[in-house]
Amino acid sequence: MLTITKPSDNRVDIELRGSLDADMMRKGLEDLLSLSEGVTNGTMLYTIPEFALPTLEALGVELTMLPKMFGLLGKYDKCAVLTDAGWIRTAAEVEGALMPGLTIKAFPLDGTAAAEAWLAA
């Protein structure tokens, strides 16, 4: 399941729970693109309570939408990732180091208050 919400004008929240099929991936990415319209200097809270690899078809959907997803890079300044999977926290921070203009910081799943404070700072 991939759920995207927009709690404020310049913030989106993403929750990834379990594996994604092509339809879930398409809907989630379309929601992210739609909810990101008009966002500037945005923040993102990405919560991953349980991770499973997406289906091959879902990865195909993500690849076809990749050009549109790159358009989001200039809209967001910070992304906080909440997960208990250490390898995902490491991968998120490495990804943040490689993406110009976007700072990604990872927190344990129970670190919501710290993540919220970091996003607000």
Side-chain angles (χ1 to χ4, degrees):
M1 175 180 73
L2 183 61
T3 306
I4 318 290
T5 57
K6 188 173 183 178
S8 66
D9 288 344
N10 285 328
R11 168 146 161 206
V12 295
D13 289 358
I14 301 171
E15 183 174 346
L16 174 62
R17 186 180 296 269
S19 185
L20 300 177
D21 64 21
D23 291 335
M24 288 184 279
M25 179 71 81
R26 183 175 297 103
K27 179 174 180 348
L29 295 179
E30 286 173 352
D31 288 349
L32 178 58
L33 289 166
S34 174
L35 292 174
S36 295
E37 288 181 21
V39 170
T40 56
N41 303 109
T43 60
M44 185 180 295
L45 181 65
Y46 197 160
T47 305
I48 308 169
E50 59 186 72
F51 178 80
L53 289 175
T55 66
L56 200 52
E57 292 83 7
L59 292 175
V61 168
E62 185 176 28
L63 285 175
T64 62
M65 296 184 76
L66 208 52
K68 291 180 182 177
M69 301 307 292
F70 280 124
L72 296 178
L73 286 178
K75 295 179 176 283
Y76 294 95
D77 296 335
K78 289 180 169 182
C79 176
V81 176
L82 293 167
T83 184
D84 281 338
W87 70 271
I88 295 175
R89 287 197 305 263
T90 300
E93 292 193 353
V94 167
E95 184 178 0
L98 299 173
M99 294 192 151
L102 178 64
T103 303
I104 300 175
K105 185 169 174 138
F107 300 85
L109 199 52
D110 64 359
T112 303
E116 293 277 0
W118 179 76
L119 288 173

